[in-house]
């Protein structure tokens, strides 16, 4: 949980730095690929909110949008409480906005569909 909290705090503290935001999304994505305990730790540390904030602030950055969708997909792959936390953090809205804005990017579309699938499951 300490790692996820440190990443989320860095993302909040350096919100304008798009490279840090990309790295943060990728770090949280990787952390949330583990067991339900790992996913819960990332979500509990504010990971979903940090990712959504990055996606909103840097809406035009394709790489960040892909990383954000990937991270939210992993977080929403956890238990019902994790799925709800992603939705409550406005993850659904952020994913749909990214998919609409980057409609021609197939990688983002795949990640977005996966995130929506996990939120709905």
């Amino acid at each position: 949980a300490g790692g996820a909290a440190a990443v989320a705090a860095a993302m909040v503290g350096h919100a304008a730095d798009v490279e840090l935001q990309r790295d943060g999304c990728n770090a949280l994505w990787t952390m949330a690929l583990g067991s339900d305990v790992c996913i819960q730790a990332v979500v509990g540390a504010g990971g979903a909110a940090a990712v959504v904030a990055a996606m909103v602030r840097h809406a035009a950055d394709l790489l960040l949008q892909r990383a954000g969708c990937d991270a939210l997909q992993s977080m929403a792959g956890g238990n019902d409480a994790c799925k709800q936390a992603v939705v409550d953090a406005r993850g659904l809205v952020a994913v749909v906005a990214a998919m609409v804005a980057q409609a021609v990017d197939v990688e983002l579309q795949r990640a977005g569909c996966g995130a929506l699938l996990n939120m709905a499951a």
Side-chain angles (χ1 to χ4, degrees):
V7 171
M11 291 176 75
V12 169
H14 301 279
D17 187 318
V18 69
E19 191 172 336
L20 185 142
Q21 299 303 308
R22 281 189 219 120
D23 290 345
C25 288
N26 283 318
L28 294 173
W29 170 38
T30 302
M31 290 177 196
L33 287 174
S35 66
D36 275 350
V37 172
C38 294
I39 297 169
Q40 289 169 359
V42 171
V43 171
V51 168
V52 169
M55 291 176 74
V56 169
R57 183 168 186 140
H58 302 285
D61 190 276
L62 174 61
L63 296 177
L64 186 139
Q65 296 302 309
R66 285 182 190 161
C69 286
D70 285 335
L72 294 175
Q73 178 180 2
S74 294
M75 289 181 224
N79 61 29
D80 288 346
C82 290
K83 292 177 197 313
Q84 190 61 52
V86 171
V87 172
D88 290 348
R90 300 190 46 82
L92 176 72
V93 174
V95 168
V96 169
M99 292 177 75
V100 169
Q102 304 287 349
V104 299
D105 187 76
V106 70
E107 288 183 51
L108 186 136
Q109 297 302 310
R110 283 188 197 120
C113 286
L116 295 175
L117 173 67
N118 283 352
M119 285 181 227

Short mmCIF file of all heavy atoms in Angstrom, two decimals, residues 10-86:
data_model
loop_
_atom_site.label_atom_id
_atom_site.label_comp_id
_atom_site.label_asym_id
_atom_site.label_seq_id
_atom_site.Cartn_x
_atom_site.Cartn_y
_atom_site.Cartn_z
N ALA A 10 2.48 11.68 -5.42
CA ALA A 10 3.33 12.34 -6.42
C ALA A 10 2.47 12.90 -7.55
O ALA A 10 2.71 14.01 -8.04
CB ALA A 10 4.37 11.37 -6.96
N MET A 11 1.47 12.13 -7.95
CA MET A 11 0.59 12.59 -9.03
C MET A 11 -0.19 13.83 -8.60
O MET A 11 -0.36 14.77 -9.38
CB MET A 11 -0.35 11.46 -9.46
CG MET A 11 0.37 10.31 -10.17
SD MET A 11 -0.71 8.92 -10.57
CE MET A 11 -1.63 9.63 -11.97
N VAL A 12 -0.67 13.84 -7.38
CA VAL A 12 -1.41 15.01 -6.87
C VAL A 12 -0.47 16.21 -6.73
O VAL A 12 -0.82 17.33 -7.11
CB VAL A 12 -2.09 14.68 -5.53
CG1 VAL A 12 -2.63 15.93 -4.86
CG2 VAL A 12 -3.20 13.66 -5.73
N GLY A 13 0.73 15.98 -6.23
CA GLY A 13 1.67 17.06 -5.99
C GLY A 13 2.30 17.66 -7.24
O GLY A 13 2.79 18.78 -7.21
N HIS A 14 2.27 16.91 -8.33
CA HIS A 14 2.89 17.37 -9.57
C HIS A 14 1.92 17.20 -10.73
O HIS A 14 2.25 16.64 -11.78
CB HIS A 14 4.19 16.60 -9.84
CG HIS A 14 5.19 16.74 -8.74
ND1 HIS A 14 6.00 17.84 -8.61
CD2 HIS A 14 5.47 15.93 -7.68
CE1 HIS A 14 6.76 17.70 -7.53
NE2 HIS A 14 6.46 16.56 -6.96
N ALA A 15 0.71 17.68 -10.53
CA ALA A 15 -0.38 17.47 -11.49
C ALA A 15 -0.09 18.02 -12.88
O ALA A 15 -0.59 17.49 -13.87
CB ALA A 15 -1.68 18.07 -10.95
N ALA A 16 0.73 19.06 -12.98
CA ALA A 16 0.98 19.68 -14.28
C ALA A 16 2.03 18.93 -15.10
O ALA A 16 2.14 19.16 -16.30
CB ALA A 16 1.42 21.13 -14.09
N ASP A 17 2.78 18.04 -14.47
CA ASP A 17 3.86 17.33 -15.16
C ASP A 17 3.30 16.10 -15.87
O ASP A 17 3.04 15.08 -15.25
CB ASP A 17 4.93 16.93 -14.15
CG ASP A 17 6.16 16.34 -14.81
OD1 ASP A 17 6.02 15.54 -15.76
OD2 ASP A 17 7.28 16.67 -14.37
N VAL A 18 3.11 16.20 -17.18
CA VAL A 18 2.46 15.13 -17.93
C VAL A 18 3.28 13.85 -17.91
O VAL A 18 2.72 12.75 -17.86
CB VAL A 18 2.10 15.57 -19.36
CG1 VAL A 18 3.33 15.76 -20.22
CG2 VAL A 18 1.13 14.60 -20.02
N GLU A 19 4.60 13.97 -17.94
CA GLU A 19 5.44 12.77 -17.92
C GLU A 19 5.30 12.02 -16.60
O GLU A 19 5.18 10.80 -16.57
CB GLU A 19 6.90 13.15 -18.17
CG GLU A 19 7.78 11.94 -18.42
CD GLU A 19 9.18 12.34 -18.87
OE1 GLU A 19 9.37 13.44 -19.42
OE2 GLU A 19 10.08 11.51 -18.68
N LEU A 20 5.28 12.76 -15.49
CA LEU A 20 5.06 12.13 -14.19
C LEU A 20 3.68 11.48 -14.14
O LEU A 20 3.52 10.38 -13.60
CB LEU A 20 5.21 13.14 -13.05
CG LEU A 20 5.11 12.51 -11.66
CD1 LEU A 20 6.09 13.17 -10.72
CD2 LEU A 20 3.71 12.56 -11.11
N GLN A 21 2.69 12.14 -14.71
CA GLN A 21 1.34 11.59 -14.71
C GLN A 21 1.29 10.27 -15.51
O GLN A 21 0.65 9.32 -15.09
CB GLN A 21 0.34 12.60 -15.27
CG GLN A 21 0.24 13.89 -14.48
CD GLN A 21 -0.12 13.68 -13.02
OE1 GLN A 21 -1.10 13.01 -12.70
NE2 GLN A 21 0.67 14.24 -12.13
N ARG A 22 1.97 10.24 -16.66
CA ARG A 22 2.03 8.99 -17.44
C ARG A 22 2.69 7.88 -16.63
O ARG A 22 2.19 6.76 -16.56
CB ARG A 22 2.83 9.20 -18.73
CG ARG A 22 2.08 9.87 -19.82
CD ARG A 22 2.93 9.81 -21.12
NE ARG A 22 2.80 11.05 -21.83
CZ ARG A 22 3.79 11.88 -22.13
NH1 ARG A 22 5.03 11.61 -21.81
NH2 ARG A 22 3.55 12.97 -22.80
N ASP A 23 3.84 8.22 -16.04
CA ASP A 23 4.55 7.24 -15.24
C ASP A 23 3.71 6.76 -14.05
O ASP A 23 3.71 5.58 -13.71
CB ASP A 23 5.88 7.81 -14.73
CG ASP A 23 6.91 8.00 -15.83
OD1 ASP A 23 6.72 7.45 -16.95
OD2 ASP A 23 7.90 8.72 -15.59
N GLY A 24 3.01 7.70 -13.43
CA GLY A 24 2.15 7.34 -12.30
C GLY A 24 1.02 6.40 -12.71
O GLY A 24 0.75 5.41 -12.03
N CYS A 25 0.39 6.70 -13.83
CA CYS A 25 -0.68 5.81 -14.33
C CYS A 25 -0.13 4.43 -14.62
O CYS A 25 -0.75 3.41 -14.26
CB CYS A 25 -1.32 6.39 -15.59
SG CYS A 25 -2.37 7.83 -15.31
N ASN A 26 1.04 4.38 -15.25
CA ASN A 26 1.65 3.08 -15.56
C ASN A 26 2.05 2.32 -14.30
O ASN A 26 1.88 1.09 -14.23
CB ASN A 26 2.85 3.26 -16.50
CG ASN A 26 2.42 3.52 -17.92
OD1 ASN A 26 1.49 2.89 -18.42
ND2 ASN A 26 3.08 4.44 -18.59
N ALA A 27 2.55 3.03 -13.30
CA ALA A 27 2.91 2.38 -12.04
C ALA A 27 1.68 1.81 -11.35
O ALA A 27 1.68 0.65 -10.89
CB ALA A 27 3.64 3.37 -11.13
N LEU A 28 0.62 2.60 -11.27
CA LEU A 28 -0.60 2.12 -10.62
C LEU A 28 -1.23 0.96 -11.40
O LEU A 28 -1.76 0.03 -10.80
CB LEU A 28 -1.59 3.27 -10.44
CG LEU A 28 -1.13 4.37 -9.48
CD1 LEU A 28 -2.10 5.54 -9.51
CD2 LEU A 28 -0.97 3.84 -8.07
N TRP A 29 -1.15 1.03 -12.72
CA TRP A 29 -1.64 -0.07 -13.56
C TRP A 29 -0.91 -1.36 -13.21
O TRP A 29 -1.53 -2.39 -12.95
CB TRP A 29 -1.44 0.29 -15.03
CG TRP A 29 -1.68 -0.81 -16.02
CD1 TRP A 29 -2.67 -1.75 -15.96
CD2 TRP A 29 -0.97 -1.07 -17.23
NE1 TRP A 29 -2.60 -2.58 -17.06
CE2 TRP A 29 -1.56 -2.17 -17.85
CE3 TRP A 29 0.11 -0.45 -17.84
CZ2 TRP A 29 -1.10 -2.69 -19.06
CZ3 TRP A 29 0.55 -0.97 -19.05
CH2 TRP A 29 -0.05 -2.07 -19.65
N THR A 30 0.42 -1.29 -13.15
CA THR A 30 1.21 -2.47 -12.86
C THR A 30 0.92 -2.99 -11.46
O THR A 30 0.77 -4.20 -11.25
CB THR A 30 2.71 -2.15 -13.03
OG1 THR A 30 2.92 -1.70 -14.36
CG2 THR A 30 3.57 -3.37 -12.77
N MET A 31 0.82 -2.10 -10.49
CA MET A 31 0.52 -2.51 -9.12
C MET A 31 -0.84 -3.20 -9.02
O MET A 31 -1.02 -4.12 -8.24
CB MET A 31 0.55 -1.31 -8.18
CG MET A 31 1.91 -0.74 -7.95
SD MET A 31 1.80 0.74 -6.90
CE MET A 31 3.39 1.46 -7.19
N ALA A 32 -1.79 -2.75 -9.82
CA ALA A 32 -3.15 -3.29 -9.76
C ALA A 32 -3.32 -4.55 -10.61
O ALA A 32 -4.42 -5.08 -10.70
CB ALA A 32 -4.16 -2.22 -10.19
N LEU A 33 -2.27 -5.03 -11.22
CA LEU A 33 -2.35 -6.27 -12.00
C LEU A 33 -2.28 -7.51 -11.10
O LEU A 33 -2.47 -8.62 -11.57
CB LEU A 33 -1.24 -6.34 -13.04
CG LEU A 33 -1.39 -5.42 -14.24
CD1 LEU A 33 -0.13 -5.48 -15.11
CD2 LEU A 33 -2.61 -5.78 -15.05
N GLY A 34 -1.99 -7.32 -9.84
CA GLY A 34 -1.81 -8.45 -8.92
C GLY A 34 -3.13 -8.98 -8.38
O GLY A 34 -4.18 -8.90 -9.01
N SER A 35 -3.07 -9.48 -7.19
CA SER A 35 -4.22 -10.08 -6.52
C SER A 35 -5.24 -9.02 -6.11
O SER A 35 -4.98 -7.81 -6.22
CB SER A 35 -3.74 -10.81 -5.27
OG SER A 35 -3.24 -9.87 -4.33
N ASP A 36 -6.37 -9.47 -5.60
CA ASP A 36 -7.38 -8.53 -5.09
C ASP A 36 -6.80 -7.65 -4.00
O ASP A 36 -7.17 -6.48 -3.88
CB ASP A 36 -8.61 -9.28 -4.57
CG ASP A 36 -9.61 -9.61 -5.65
OD1 ASP A 36 -9.47 -9.10 -6.79
OD2 ASP A 36 -10.55 -10.38 -5.38
N VAL A 37 -5.89 -8.19 -3.20
CA VAL A 37 -5.27 -7.39 -2.13
C VAL A 37 -4.47 -6.24 -2.76
O VAL A 37 -4.54 -5.10 -2.27
CB VAL A 37 -4.36 -8.28 -1.25
CG1 VAL A 37 -3.55 -7.44 -0.28
CG2 VAL A 37 -5.19 -9.31 -0.51
N CYS A 38 -3.76 -6.53 -3.85
CA CYS A 38 -3.00 -5.47 -4.53
C CYS A 38 -3.94 -4.42 -5.10
O CYS A 38 -3.69 -3.22 -4.97
CB CYS A 38 -2.15 -6.07 -5.65
SG CYS A 38 -0.85 -7.16 -5.09
N ILE A 39 -5.00 -4.86 -5.74
CA ILE A 39 -5.96 -3.93 -6.34
C ILE A 39 -6.58 -3.05 -5.25
O ILE A 39 -6.68 -1.83 -5.40
CB ILE A 39 -7.04 -4.68 -7.13
CG1 ILE A 39 -6.41 -5.44 -8.31
CG2 ILE A 39 -8.12 -3.72 -7.62
CD1 ILE A 39 -7.36 -6.42 -8.98
N GLN A 40 -6.97 -3.68 -4.14
CA GLN A 40 -7.58 -2.93 -3.04
C GLN A 40 -6.61 -1.89 -2.49
O GLN A 40 -7.00 -0.78 -2.13
CB GLN A 40 -8.04 -3.87 -1.94
CG GLN A 40 -9.25 -4.70 -2.34
CD GLN A 40 -9.55 -5.83 -1.37
OE1 GLN A 40 -8.85 -6.03 -0.39
NE2 GLN A 40 -10.60 -6.58 -1.66
N ALA A 41 -5.32 -2.25 -2.42
CA ALA A 41 -4.31 -1.30 -1.92
C ALA A 41 -4.20 -0.09 -2.84
O ALA A 41 -4.13 1.05 -2.37
CB ALA A 41 -2.96 -2.00 -1.77
N VAL A 42 -4.21 -0.33 -4.15
CA VAL A 42 -4.10 0.78 -5.10
C VAL A 42 -5.34 1.66 -5.03
O VAL A 42 -5.24 2.89 -4.96
CB VAL A 42 -3.89 0.24 -6.54
CG1 VAL A 42 -3.99 1.36 -7.56
CG2 VAL A 42 -2.54 -0.47 -6.65
N VAL A 43 -6.51 1.05 -5.03
CA VAL A 43 -7.75 1.81 -4.96
C VAL A 43 -7.84 2.55 -3.63
O VAL A 43 -8.19 3.74 -3.58
CB VAL A 43 -8.97 0.89 -5.19
CG1 VAL A 43 -10.27 1.62 -4.91
CG2 VAL A 43 -8.96 0.35 -6.62
N GLY A 44 -7.50 1.87 -2.55
CA GLY A 44 -7.55 2.48 -1.22
C GLY A 44 -6.61 3.64 -1.04
O GLY A 44 -6.84 4.54 -0.21
N ALA A 45 -5.53 3.64 -1.81
CA ALA A 45 -4.54 4.73 -1.73
C ALA A 45 -4.94 5.94 -2.57
O ALA A 45 -4.19 6.89 -2.68
CB ALA A 45 -3.18 4.21 -2.19
N GLY A 46 -6.12 5.88 -3.18
CA GLY A 46 -6.56 6.99 -4.02
C GLY A 46 -6.10 6.88 -5.46
O GLY A 46 -6.10 7.88 -6.19
N GLY A 47 -5.73 5.69 -5.88
CA GLY A 47 -5.23 5.48 -7.22
C GLY A 47 -6.22 5.86 -8.31
O GLY A 47 -5.84 6.52 -9.29
N ALA A 48 -7.47 5.47 -8.15
CA ALA A 48 -8.47 5.77 -9.18
C ALA A 48 -8.66 7.28 -9.32
O ALA A 48 -8.69 7.81 -10.44
CB ALA A 48 -9.79 5.07 -8.87
N ALA A 49 -8.76 7.97 -8.21
CA ALA A 49 -8.95 9.42 -8.26
C ALA A 49 -7.74 10.11 -8.90
O ALA A 49 -7.90 11.05 -9.68
CB ALA A 49 -9.20 9.96 -6.85
N ALA A 50 -6.53 9.64 -8.58
CA ALA A 50 -5.33 10.24 -9.16
C ALA A 50 -5.28 10.03 -10.67
O ALA A 50 -4.94 10.95 -11.43
CB ALA A 50 -4.08 9.66 -8.50
N VAL A 51 -5.66 8.84 -11.13
CA VAL A 51 -5.66 8.55 -12.56
C VAL A 51 -6.70 9.40 -13.28
O VAL A 51 -6.43 10.00 -14.33
CB VAL A 51 -5.88 7.05 -12.81
CG1 VAL A 51 -6.16 6.77 -14.27
CG2 VAL A 51 -4.67 6.25 -12.34
N VAL A 52 -7.89 9.47 -12.72
CA VAL A 52 -8.95 10.27 -13.36
C VAL A 52 -8.54 11.74 -13.43
O VAL A 52 -8.72 12.39 -14.46
CB VAL A 52 -10.30 10.08 -12.63
CG1 VAL A 52 -11.32 11.10 -13.11
CG2 VAL A 52 -10.81 8.65 -12.83
N ALA A 53 -7.97 12.27 -12.36
CA ALA A 53 -7.53 13.67 -12.37
C ALA A 53 -6.49 13.90 -13.47
O ALA A 53 -6.54 14.91 -14.17
CB ALA A 53 -6.97 14.05 -11.00
N ALA A 54 -5.57 12.95 -13.63
CA ALA A 54 -4.55 13.08 -14.68
C ALA A 54 -5.20 13.04 -16.06
O ALA A 54 -4.84 13.82 -16.95
CB ALA A 54 -3.52 11.95 -14.55
N MET A 55 -6.16 12.15 -16.25
CA MET A 55 -6.84 12.03 -17.54
C MET A 55 -7.61 13.30 -17.88
O MET A 55 -7.63 13.75 -19.03
CB MET A 55 -7.76 10.81 -17.56
CG MET A 55 -7.01 9.49 -17.53
SD MET A 55 -8.11 8.06 -17.44
CE MET A 55 -8.74 8.02 -19.14
N VAL A 56 -8.23 13.89 -16.90
CA VAL A 56 -9.00 15.13 -17.12
C VAL A 56 -8.05 16.29 -17.43
O VAL A 56 -8.27 17.04 -18.38
CB VAL A 56 -9.89 15.43 -15.89
CG1 VAL A 56 -10.48 16.83 -15.99
CG2 VAL A 56 -10.99 14.39 -15.77
N ARG A 57 -6.99 16.41 -16.65
CA ARG A 57 -6.07 17.55 -16.82
C ARG A 57 -5.30 17.46 -18.14
O ARG A 57 -4.99 18.47 -18.74
CB ARG A 57 -5.10 17.61 -15.66
CG ARG A 57 -4.18 18.80 -15.78
CD ARG A 57 -3.41 19.05 -14.52
NE ARG A 57 -2.66 20.30 -14.68
CZ ARG A 57 -2.52 21.21 -13.75
NH1 ARG A 57 -3.08 21.03 -12.58
NH2 ARG A 57 -1.82 22.28 -13.98
N HIS A 58 -4.97 16.25 -18.57
CA HIS A 58 -4.14 16.06 -19.76
C HIS A 58 -4.93 15.30 -20.83
O HIS A 58 -4.44 14.34 -21.42
CB HIS A 58 -2.85 15.32 -19.38
CG HIS A 58 -2.04 16.01 -18.34
ND1 HIS A 58 -1.28 17.12 -18.61
CD2 HIS A 58 -1.92 15.77 -17.01
CE1 HIS A 58 -0.69 17.53 -17.49
NE2 HIS A 58 -1.06 16.72 -16.51
N ALA A 59 -6.11 15.78 -21.11
CA ALA A 59 -7.04 15.09 -22.01
C ALA A 59 -6.49 14.92 -23.42
O ALA A 59 -6.87 13.97 -24.11
CB ALA A 59 -8.37 15.83 -22.05
N ALA A 60 -5.60 15.78 -23.86
CA ALA A 60 -5.09 15.71 -25.23
C ALA A 60 -3.89 14.78 -25.37
O ALA A 60 -3.45 14.51 -26.49
CB ALA A 60 -4.72 17.10 -25.72
N ASP A 61 -3.36 14.27 -24.26
CA ASP A 61 -2.16 13.44 -24.32
C ASP A 61 -2.55 11.97 -24.52
O ASP A 61 -3.04 11.32 -23.60
CB ASP A 61 -1.34 13.60 -23.04
CG ASP A 61 0.01 12.95 -23.16
OD1 ASP A 61 0.11 11.73 -22.92
OD2 ASP A 61 0.97 13.64 -23.53
N LEU A 62 -2.32 11.47 -25.72
CA LEU A 62 -2.72 10.11 -26.07
C LEU A 62 -2.07 9.06 -25.17
O LEU A 62 -2.76 8.15 -24.69
CB LEU A 62 -2.39 9.82 -27.53
CG LEU A 62 -2.64 8.39 -28.00
CD1 LEU A 62 -4.11 8.01 -27.87
CD2 LEU A 62 -2.17 8.21 -29.43
N LEU A 63 -0.78 9.17 -24.94
CA LEU A 63 -0.10 8.16 -24.12
C LEU A 63 -0.63 8.13 -22.70
O LEU A 63 -0.80 7.06 -22.10
CB LEU A 63 1.41 8.41 -24.12
CG LEU A 63 2.10 8.26 -25.48
CD1 LEU A 63 3.58 8.59 -25.36
CD2 LEU A 63 1.89 6.87 -26.06
N LEU A 64 -0.93 9.30 -22.15
CA LEU A 64 -1.50 9.35 -20.81
C LEU A 64 -2.90 8.74 -20.80
O LEU A 64 -3.25 7.99 -19.90
CB LEU A 64 -1.55 10.78 -20.28
CG LEU A 64 -2.02 10.83 -18.82
CD1 LEU A 64 -1.21 11.83 -18.05
CD2 LEU A 64 -3.49 11.13 -18.71
N GLN A 65 -3.69 9.02 -21.83
CA GLN A 65 -5.04 8.47 -21.89
C GLN A 65 -5.01 6.94 -21.98
O GLN A 65 -5.80 6.26 -21.33
CB GLN A 65 -5.81 9.07 -23.07
CG GLN A 65 -6.04 10.57 -22.96
CD GLN A 65 -6.79 10.98 -21.71
OE1 GLN A 65 -7.84 10.44 -21.39
NE2 GLN A 65 -6.26 11.95 -20.98
N ARG A 66 -4.08 6.41 -22.76
CA ARG A 66 -3.94 4.94 -22.82
C ARG A 66 -3.58 4.37 -21.46
O ARG A 66 -4.16 3.40 -20.99
CB ARG A 66 -2.84 4.55 -23.81
CG ARG A 66 -3.20 4.67 -25.25
CD ARG A 66 -2.01 4.20 -26.08
NE ARG A 66 -2.14 4.48 -27.48
CZ ARG A 66 -1.13 4.49 -28.33
NH1 ARG A 66 0.11 4.26 -27.91
NH2 ARG A 66 -1.33 4.73 -29.61
N ALA A 67 -2.57 5.00 -20.83
CA ALA A 67 -2.12 4.52 -19.52
C ALA A 67 -3.23 4.62 -18.48
O ALA A 67 -3.40 3.74 -17.64
CB ALA A 67 -0.89 5.30 -19.08
N GLY A 68 -4.00 5.70 -18.54
CA GLY A 68 -5.11 5.87 -17.61
C GLY A 68 -6.17 4.81 -17.79
O GLY A 68 -6.67 4.23 -16.82
N CYS A 69 -6.52 4.53 -19.03
CA CYS A 69 -7.51 3.48 -19.30
C CYS A 69 -7.00 2.13 -18.83
O CYS A 69 -7.76 1.34 -18.23
CB CYS A 69 -7.87 3.43 -20.78
SG CYS A 69 -8.92 4.79 -21.33
N ASP A 70 -5.72 1.85 -19.08
CA ASP A 70 -5.14 0.58 -18.62
C ASP A 70 -5.21 0.47 -17.10
O ASP A 70 -5.57 -0.57 -16.55
CB ASP A 70 -3.68 0.46 -19.07
CG ASP A 70 -3.53 0.13 -20.54
OD1 ASP A 70 -4.44 -0.47 -21.14
OD2 ASP A 70 -2.47 0.47 -21.10
N ALA A 71 -4.84 1.56 -16.42
CA ALA A 71 -4.85 1.55 -14.96
C ALA A 71 -6.26 1.35 -14.41
O ALA A 71 -6.48 0.55 -13.50
CB ALA A 71 -4.24 2.85 -14.42
N LEU A 72 -7.22 2.07 -14.98
CA LEU A 72 -8.60 1.93 -14.51
C LEU A 72 -9.15 0.55 -14.81
O LEU A 72 -9.92 -0.01 -14.03
CB LEU A 72 -9.48 3.03 -15.10
CG LEU A 72 -9.13 4.45 -14.63
CD1 LEU A 72 -9.97 5.48 -15.38
CD2 LEU A 72 -9.31 4.59 -13.12
N GLN A 73 -8.74 -0.03 -15.95
CA GLN A 73 -9.15 -1.39 -16.27
C GLN A 73 -8.68 -2.36 -15.19
O GLN A 73 -9.44 -3.20 -14.71
CB GLN A 73 -8.58 -1.82 -17.63
CG GLN A 73 -8.93 -3.25 -18.00
CD GLN A 73 -8.37 -3.66 -19.36
OE1 GLN A 73 -7.68 -2.88 -20.03
NE2 GLN A 73 -8.66 -4.85 -19.79
N SER A 74 -7.41 -2.24 -14.79
CA SER A 74 -6.87 -3.12 -13.75
C SER A 74 -7.57 -2.91 -12.41
O SER A 74 -7.93 -3.87 -11.74
CB SER A 74 -5.37 -2.88 -13.58
OG SER A 74 -4.68 -3.28 -14.74
N MET A 75 -7.78 -1.66 -12.04
CA MET A 75 -8.43 -1.37 -10.76
C MET A 75 -9.86 -1.88 -10.74
O MET A 75 -10.33 -2.40 -9.73
CB MET A 75 -8.40 0.13 -10.48
CG MET A 75 -7.04 0.67 -10.13
SD MET A 75 -7.12 2.44 -9.78
CE MET A 75 -5.68 3.00 -10.68
N ALA A 76 -10.56 -1.74 -11.86
CA ALA A 76 -11.95 -2.20 -11.93
C ALA A 76 -12.05 -3.71 -12.05
O ALA A 76 -13.14 -4.27 -11.98
CB ALA A 76 -12.67 -1.53 -13.11
N GLY A 77 -10.91 -4.38 -12.19
CA GLY A 77 -10.90 -5.84 -12.24
C GLY A 77 -10.95 -6.48 -10.87
O GLY A 77 -10.96 -7.70 -10.75
N GLY A 78 -11.00 -5.69 -9.85
CA GLY A 78 -11.06 -6.21 -8.48
C GLY A 78 -12.48 -6.54 -8.06
O GLY A 78 -13.39 -6.71 -8.88
N ASN A 79 -12.69 -6.58 -6.76
CA ASN A 79 -14.00 -6.92 -6.22
C ASN A 79 -15.01 -5.79 -6.45
O ASN A 79 -14.67 -4.75 -7.02
CB ASN A 79 -13.89 -7.28 -4.74
CG ASN A 79 -13.35 -6.14 -3.89
OD1 ASN A 79 -13.54 -4.96 -4.22
ND2 ASN A 79 -12.70 -6.45 -2.80
N ASP A 80 -16.24 -6.02 -6.03
CA ASP A 80 -17.30 -5.03 -6.27
C ASP A 80 -16.98 -3.67 -5.66
O ASP A 80 -17.31 -2.64 -6.24
CB ASP A 80 -18.64 -5.55 -5.75
CG ASP A 80 -19.21 -6.67 -6.60
OD1 ASP A 80 -18.73 -6.86 -7.75
OD2 ASP A 80 -20.14 -7.36 -6.13
N ALA A 81 -16.34 -3.67 -4.50
CA ALA A 81 -16.00 -2.39 -3.86
C ALA A 81 -14.98 -1.63 -4.70
O ALA A 81 -15.06 -0.40 -4.82
CB ALA A 81 -15.45 -2.64 -2.45
N CYS A 82 -14.04 -2.34 -5.30
CA CYS A 82 -13.05 -1.69 -6.17
C CYS A 82 -13.72 -1.14 -7.42
O CYS A 82 -13.43 -0.01 -7.83
CB CYS A 82 -11.93 -2.65 -6.54
SG CYS A 82 -10.86 -3.08 -5.14
N LYS A 83 -14.59 -1.93 -8.03
CA LYS A 83 -15.32 -1.45 -9.21
C LYS A 83 -16.08 -0.17 -8.88
O LYS A 83 -16.04 0.80 -9.62
CB LYS A 83 -16.32 -2.51 -9.69
CG LYS A 83 -15.71 -3.76 -10.25
CD LYS A 83 -16.81 -4.74 -10.62
CE LYS A 83 -16.34 -6.15 -10.82
NZ LYS A 83 -15.17 -6.35 -11.63
N GLN A 84 -16.78 -0.18 -7.75
CA GLN A 84 -17.57 0.98 -7.35
C GLN A 84 -16.68 2.18 -7.08
O GLN A 84 -17.04 3.31 -7.42
CB GLN A 84 -18.42 0.66 -6.12
CG GLN A 84 -19.45 1.74 -5.80
CD GLN A 84 -20.43 1.95 -6.94
OE1 GLN A 84 -21.05 1.01 -7.43
NE2 GLN A 84 -20.57 3.19 -7.39
N ALA A 85 -15.51 1.95 -6.48
CA ALA A 85 -14.58 3.05 -6.21
C ALA A 85 -14.10 3.70 -7.52
O ALA A 85 -13.98 4.92 -7.59
CB ALA A 85 -13.39 2.56 -5.39
N VAL A 86 -13.87 2.89 -8.54
CA VAL A 86 -13.46 3.43 -9.84
C VAL A 86 -14.59 4.26 -10.43
O VAL A 86 -14.37 5.37 -10.93
CB VAL A 86 -13.02 2.30 -10.80
CG1 VAL A 86 -12.82 2.83 -12.21
CG2 VAL A 86 -11.75 1.63 -10.28
#
